[in-house]
Amino acid sequence: NNNNSNNNFNRNSVQFQPALVQESTTSSQLPSTTSHADPLDVFDTSRVLMAVPKRRTTHSKKRMRMTTKYLQNKTHYQPCQNCGEMKMRHHLCLSCVDKIRKDLRNERRKQREEEFDDDRP
């Protein structure tokens, strides 16, 4: 008995219609856009306003923040074939280059001494 009265109440009080038949809001029901007492009435309150930075991010600050983005560990090290020290691939070994420089200096020094000795009478 109680369920019948609830069903009758629901059927009589609420009238369901398809969405196309329902009345839409007319231009007279919309807020007017020509004169505004409050400037915030222009914004739709159903949308969320996003935060905006107070100042523009400077170039240096942006670059400082991005420094860690491109840092990667170097994995292209290999031992030198001559001395066995670690060197980067496709690069000269620094210890071998130092040895070559020392040898070249010694050879040039000897050549100068020989030229100097030959010039003496």
Side-chain angles (χ1 to χ4, degrees), residues 22-40:
Q22 288 181 350
E23 293 181 19
S24 62
T25 57
T26 61
S27 61
S28 63
Q29 294 173 345
L30 294 175
S32 70
T33 56
T34 54
S35 63
H36 300 290
D38 186 14
L40 294 178

Side-chain angles (χ1 to χ4, degrees), residues 103-118:
D103 291 342
L104 283 174
R105 282 183 197 150
N106 290 336
E107 287 182 24
R108 287 180 185 158
R109 194 174 297 143
K110 286 179 186 177
Q111 286 178 357
R112 281 190 220 129
E113 288 174 358
E114 289 175 2
E115 287 176 4
F116 185 71
D117 290 338
D118 289 343

Side-chain angles (χ1 to χ4, degrees), residues 71-120:
L71 285 180
Q72 296 175 350
N73 293 333
K74 291 188 176 181
T75 57
H76 54 281
Y77 282 101
Q78 65 184 24
C80 176
Q81 293 175 353
N82 295 329
C83 66
E85 294 223 11
M86 296 301 285
K87 70 172 190 76
M88 285 194 286
R89 257 186 272 151
H90 310 293
H91 287 255
L92 293 174
C93 174
L94 295 178
S95 63
C96 291
V97 169
D98 288 340
K99 290 177 188 174
I100 292 170
R101 282 183 184 160
K102 287 179 185 176
D103 291 342
L104 283 174
R105 282 183 197 150
N106 290 336
E107 287 182 24
R108 287 180 185 158
R109 194 174 297 143
K110 286 179 186 177
Q111 286 178 357
R112 281 190 220 129
E113 288 174 358
E114 289 175 2
E115 287 176 4
F116 185 71
D117 290 338
D118 289 343
D119 290 344
R120 285 186 177 176

Side-chain angles (χ1 to χ4, degrees), residues 43-86:
F43 299 111
D44 185 9
T45 57
S46 65
R47 295 183 185 159
V48 177
L49 294 177
M50 299 297 290
V52 178
K54 206 168 206 179
R55 299 241 181 241
R56 181 178 177 180
T57 305
T58 61
H59 181 74
S60 61
K61 292 283 184 185
K62 180 173 56 175
R63 297 298 293 168
M64 280 190 274
R65 187 179 66 239
M66 299 298 280
T67 52
T68 58
K69 183 175 182 178
Y70 300 106
L71 285 180
Q72 296 175 350
N73 293 333
K74 291 188 176 181
T75 57
H76 54 281
Y77 282 101
Q78 65 184 24
C80 176
Q81 293 175 353
N82 295 329
C83 66
E85 294 223 11
M86 296 301 285

